[in-house]
Amino acid sequence: MAIAIALCLLLQRLVVASAAGVCAVESDWAGTHVVKKTCSGVSQQDCVGLNFEWEESDNAGQNVCKVQYHMHSSNNDLAAHCANKNGTLATYSETCSMYLTYIQLSETWLANSTSCRAMNPQMGAWQMTNAYALDWLRSHGCCGTGETSCAVADPPTFQLCTPASALASDLVYSTDCLINQTECAGTFEQVKFEWKPEENDGAGACKAENQGGVGDVFTACTNKGGAIGNDQSTCGDFPKHYFPNMVADTAGCAATPQAWGGQMSVATYANWLATACCGSTPTACCSSSSCMAANAPTTTAAPTTAAPTTAAPTTAAPTTTAAPTTARPTQIRYGTVSFSLAVSIGTVQEAIARTDVQRGVQVGIGNQLNIDTAWVSATLGLATARRLTAESRRLVTSGTVVADYTITAPAGSSDISSLDLVADTQGEKDAFSTQITDGLVAEVPVTAFGNLTATVTSAGTRTAPDPPTTSSSRFRDSLALCTLAALAGLARNI
């Protein structure tokens, strides 16, 4: 009985972890996804490449070669990779749920600016925040093609490019390239090679860095005779992890952070990164006075007090006191719109997981209804996702997207009760299609998905969603069921 309940508690830890809000879309969480497997019989010298990692003193206390899933790899067939190294693939798998238990997010953990920026209890020695830890899970396939909860709940405060939409978030800016120090020099195939003596615990490592956004760091490393390491940085990593809590205003761009040695200014670093990360006509926000001004904090002027005046006394006619007016409270409306989304680069599944696509849809809805677009929040999903396999979801270049949205008009705003959320006629649907398409064009860089077009098929109201079940209540309920099952099993054996 004790063993059965202990197993229940262990399973609960995995269940709690999977519900702890790792992914922005809860259904994206892939708890059973295989992150790593041991590939025995492969030496440290041969355990190299994007899908390989040499682990010294792993969970079993051994030095072993691990084959791993990696989001930047074009082939994540772990068995084939191990076989190509003449290794033997273990049957034991290290899954996303196992790694999440190591990260130790509590059952009540919720993603917000405080929790995402907090140092992870297990990773604090490496100065790794919870947001960074979740990004590691995402990079190993634990959120599918979706984003982490921290990416949505606590988006970066630093604007690297102007316009902001020019940032090529998924472009691999740098990678470890396993070549010797002598070979790691100069520029090759528009990629800069530089030896970093401080990397690899002081042993040094070669970095291949994108120059001007036109080079391919993976191809250049291979063509130079090297093997790709497993440490990469994308352009999207920099605003999130290298400029944390910074703002690209005049003061922020002029700062020289002590974390960088107090020698390099934020503007110098940002301008350097912009050449690779900000598109074909790169402009860093820190080099644009108008962009820095737009990011400057707003200040409220101190109130002025007029000099008192004394008027001659007059006898006024009696006045009638007007009935007091009450400011309109916060108003909420719930709507839904379905539209066919087509992309010419990537997949629809990848598109709807991105925050800039979400913003584009929200802008389109707000403009269609002629309201402040900041009042609109939307969640996006594929209407056919439940009927698609994991493989076919990656191949969807057009599909029907359902956007469930909420309008929250702040207290004192104009009345929104009369807003018509329904699109009955074809003309109304065409107008809605134009607004959503225009919103996507304004918010999403063309390099991400090519030409994005939305064709609205229906729009209307929806009922208020039920309050979410708390993770603690899910924990108690599932623990109770698990314990009852254990008791039942014990009873059968009596």
Side-chain angles (χ1 to χ4, degrees), residues 438-456:
D438 288 349
L440 292 170
V441 170
E443 294 291 334
V444 184
V446 70
T447 54
F449 300 102
N451 296 319
L452 283 164
T453 55
T455 305
V456 171

Side-chain angles (χ1 to χ4, degrees), residues 18-372:
S18 69
V22 173
C23 307
V25 178
E26 188 173 348
S27 59
D28 284 343
W29 170 247
T32 59
H33 171 75
V34 177
V35 175
K36 293 182 184 180
K37 279 179 171 283
T38 296
C39 183
S40 58
V42 178
S43 67
Q44 183 175 359
Q45 182 178 359
D46 291 332
C47 187
V48 293
L50 191 59
N51 288 97
F52 287 89
E53 181 177 21
W54 182 261
E55 286 193 4
E56 295 186 357
S57 187
D58 72 343
N59 292 335
Q62 300 175 340
N63 298 340
V64 295
C65 182
K66 295 288 181 75
V67 59
Q68 64 178 351
Y69 177 98
H70 202 290
M71 68 181 296
H72 297 305
S73 175
S74 59
N75 176 13
N76 280 299
D77 187 336
L78 305 190
H81 282 303
C82 184
N84 288 340
K85 299 277 188 181
N86 295 319
T88 302
L89 192 69
T91 55
Y92 174 73
S93 300
E94 299 172 25
T95 65
C96 291
S97 288
M98 292 176 60
Y99 277 97
L100 186 53
T101 60
Y102 181 74
I103 290 174
Q104 291 188 358
L105 298 181
S106 71
E107 63 171 285
T108 57
W109 192 86
L110 293 174
N112 55 47
S113 59
T114 300
S115 62
C116 290
R117 297 176 192 181
M119 290 297 165
N120 185 268
Q122 287 290 78
M123 309 295 184
W126 294 276
Q127 295 296 296
M128 187 181 288
T129 62
N130 284 326
Y132 206 115
L134 297 192
D135 258 1
W136 186 93
L137 290 173
R138 174 180 175 268
S139 72
H140 287 78
C142 297
C143 287
T145 57
E147 272 290 359
T148 69
S149 56
C150 283
V152 175
D154 186 35
T157 57
F158 188 84
Q159 182 179 341
L160 180 59
C161 309
T162 182
S165 59
L167 178 65
S169 297
D170 294 328
L171 177 71
V172 179
Y173 175 80
S174 68
T175 183
D176 278 355
C177 184
L178 306 179
I179 55 178
N180 62 45
Q181 186 172 354
T182 303
E183 294 291 328
C184 185
T187 300
F188 178 74
E189 295 183 356
Q190 297 179 300
V191 170
K192 178 184 177 182
F193 287 83
E194 184 177 5
W195 185 262
K196 304 282 188 179
E198 72 278 6
E199 297 282 340
N200 198 19
D201 295 328
C206 182
K207 289 286 186 180
E209 297 179 345
N210 198 307
Q211 298 290 292
V214 293
D216 185 323
V217 294
F218 294 149
T219 301
C221 174
T222 303
N223 290 345
K224 200 172 175 65
I228 300 168
N230 51 42
D231 184 17
Q232 287 77 37
S233 292
T234 66
C235 288
D237 289 334
F238 291 101
K240 289 189 289 187
H241 304 308
Y242 292 81
F243 299 99
N245 311 329
M246 297 182 188
V247 177
D249 59 7
T250 302
C253 290
T256 54
Q258 289 301 313
W260 303 351
Q263 300 297 316
M264 182 186 292
S265 71
V266 170
T268 300
Y269 196 18
N271 291 336
W272 176 41
L273 291 171
T275 61
C277 296
C278 295
S280 56
T281 55
T283 304
C285 184
C286 282
S287 64
S288 167
S289 56
S290 59
C291 184
M292 289 189 288
N295 285 316
T298 56
T299 56
T300 304
T304 58
T305 305
T309 59
T310 305
T314 59
T315 304
T319 58
T320 303
T321 303
T325 59
T326 303
R328 185 176 288 110
T330 300
Q331 308 162 79
I332 298 178
R333 295 283 305 277
Y334 300 98
T336 185
V337 56
S338 297
F339 56 92
S340 174
L341 181 64
V343 300
S344 55
I345 300 175
T347 69
V348 172
Q349 185 74 0
E350 292 168 337
I352 64 174
R354 285 176 53 131
T355 55
D356 51 3
V357 173
Q358 182 186 42
R359 284 196 307 270
V361 173
Q362 291 169 176
V363 167
I365 293 171
N367 289 338
Q368 171 67 14
L369 300 176
N370 197 26
I371 59 174
D372 190 333

